Amino acid sequence: MPHRLLHRLFFALFSIAISGLWTSANAQFGPKPSAAGSSVVTTPYVRAELLAHAPQGVAPGQPLWLGLQITHQPEWHTYWKNPGDSGLPTDLAWTLPAGLEAGEIAWPLPRKIPIGTLANYGYEGTVLLPVPVTVANRFAPGPLAKDVTVKLRASWLVCRKECIPEEGEFTLQLPLKSTTALHGAAFDAAARAQPQPVLAGTGGIVPDSQAQIAEGNTLQISVQGLPVALRGKQLDLFPETGEVMDNAAPWPQAWNGSVWTAQVPLSPQRSNSPSVMPVVLAEKTSEPTPAGHATGPDPRTGYRVALKVLGTWPPVASVAAVSPALEAALQANAAQAGGAATAGAGASSLTLAAALLGALLGGLILNLMPCVFPVLAIKV
């Protein structure tokens, strides 16, 4: 098993086990259940609110946006569509009236958040995850209806030194014929934060922009058509496809006239081999943002391009084996999540977390002994 993968596996499972012990012993730190009809869920780590923008009301052909706005406590963060070396993206599951269809999240430009020897992509401060909603011609709320009800079940992973999985249920009433534009400025800002195509109207495809698989397990990337204002500047690169690039490794980049080039190393634990790789580019910040130090919206503009991958991918990394003790603990976790009663859940979670930590140590300690102490020094 590769040394770096051992680091990741140990750190992730150790963090989960410790978080389980912590949250089970401190039940008051769990997310507060939202009241029926509430559009806001508040936990010790975030404030999440369901927002809407329907300036012309809810009708076919008129703009309608929904979105989850997450305000993080200092030092806490959630994740982008590709979370990087660890983490999970926020998930939104909608329940809408017939005739309304929600699209995908229009992900804003993320920040690079270093985690020891690893790197994640995510959000701090306040972020709005907007979703376009199509109102079909068949939308027929009824002659006496004055509003519609939209519901959202959202889940997110919020992290600092530990990671806490949270979820919330949200409900919002939207008037059919009146304007809903109280949060228009927030949706406008979210639209500006969404990465733009390198060339307008191309869907992200730019001729002669590509990623060539080269010797030494690297991708030689070249991008044409970037704005003139970026020429000569160092750029950040955010891959939308996870588990391909080495997110934390340094890599060289240069400008050849109007063409931006980079040589990005592949991840030692690569598990994906895409034929097209969408990436987002933005002017590089002077230093990656340490977790908890960014509070406002990212002022940079991101540019999205879909890179055609040329060449043959090297073999993917082998999947790490799971010890029998760890497998038993994970199965116990799944069984508890599926059928545990509310009464005594805290004690059960505490026992499970201890069992998971014990299984982790018992199953991995022999392989991990040379790198245990470096792992414990990593901070999220």
Side-chain angles (χ1 to χ4, degrees):
M1 187 187 298
H3 184 270
R4 182 179 172 90
L5 181 56
L6 289 173
H7 273 240
R8 289 186 60 190
L9 183 59
F10 181 87
F11 177 62
L13 294 175
F14 185 85
S15 299
I16 292 171
I18 292 301
S19 295
L21 290 168
W22 178 263
T23 54
S24 297
N26 300 274
Q28 69 271 24
F29 288 108
K32 300 177 182 178
S34 59
S38 175
S39 62
V40 178
V41 169
T42 302
T43 81
Y45 319 109
V46 305
R47 180 187 185 274
E49 182 176 4
L50 174 58
L51 304 182
H53 183 60
Q56 307 300 326
V58 182
Q62 299 301 330
L64 171 58
W65 287 83
L66 300 173
L68 185 68
Q69 185 178 72
I70 301 177
T71 301
H72 306 81
Q73 289 294 329
E75 301 183 6
W76 292 84
H77 60 270
T78 54
Y79 294 92
W80 186 49
K81 62 191 304 182
N82 171 17
D85 288 322
S86 62
L88 291 170
T90 298
D91 181 71
L92 306 181
W94 300 94
T95 301
L96 303 176
L100 299 187
E101 182 176 352
E104 300 296 325
I105 297 173
W107 294 93
L109 179 69
R111 299 177 186 270
K112 188 173 184 178
I113 304 173
I115 312 169
T117 60
L118 309 178
N120 280 353
Y121 307 126
Y123 306 103
E124 301 163 314
T126 297
V127 63
L128 174 60
L129 304 179
V131 172
V133 179
T134 301
V135 183
N137 290 329
R138 60 185 176 85
F139 175 63
L144 300 180
K146 295 183 178 180
D147 52 36
V148 295
T149 301
V150 298
K151 295 183 178 182
L152 169 66
R153 184 179 183 87
S155 60
W156 58 89
L157 187 67
V158 58
C159 296
R160 187 183 59 175
K161 294 181 180 179
E162 64 276 12
C163 289
I164 311 295
E166 297 186 328
E167 64 179 18
E169 295 186 0
F170 306 81
T171 302
L172 199 61
Q173 301 284 341
L174 298 182
L176 288 170
K177 297 183 179 180
S178 301
T179 182
T180 300
L182 179 63
H183 302 288
F187 281 92
D188 288 344
R192 292 192 298 271
Q194 183 183 3
Q196 305 299 310
V198 168
L199 293 180
T202 63
I205 303 295
V206 179
D208 298 325
S209 292
Q210 61 192 30
Q212 173 73 52
I213 301 170
E215 294 183 2
N217 285 340
T218 62
L219 283 176
Q220 295 183 349
I221 295 175
S222 62
V223 179
Q224 300 201 36
L226 288 165
V228 175
L230 291 181
R231 292 182 188 176
K233 296 182 178 179
Q234 294 284 294
L235 303 184
D236 273 331
L237 183 148
F238 303 97
E240 292 189 6
T241 305
E243 300 179 350
V244 175
M245 298 180 179
D246 191 335
N247 301 301
W251 38 268
Q253 57 176 290
W255 285 88
N256 182 11
S258 62
V259 180
W260 180 80
T261 63
Q263 298 181 31
V264 181
L266 299 179
S267 170
Q269 287 81 48
R270 182 181 61 83
S271 62
N272 286 318
S273 303
S275 59
V276 176
M277 278 193 57
V279 300
V280 173
L281 299 169
E283 183 176 350
K284 188 178 182 65
T285 54
S286 57
E287 293 292 340
T289 302
H293 287 70
T295 57
D298 196 326
R300 301 176 298 168
T301 299
Y303 298 92
R304 184 179 185 272
V305 59
L307 302 174
K308 183 178 180 180
V309 179
L310 305 179
T312 302
W313 288 104
V316 297
S318 58
V319 178
V322 177
S323 71
L326 181 55
E327 178 65 26
L330 294 174
Q331 290 177 357
N333 187 26
Q336 177 189 337
T342 302
S348 177
S349 297
L350 186 62
T351 302
L352 175 62
L356 181 60
L357 180 56
L360 166 66
L361 295 176
L364 299 179
I365 191 70
L366 294 179
N367 288 330
L368 290 171
M369 187 62 72
C371 58
V372 166
F373 292 102
V375 171
L376 296 181
I378 297 176
K379 297 183 183 295
V380 175

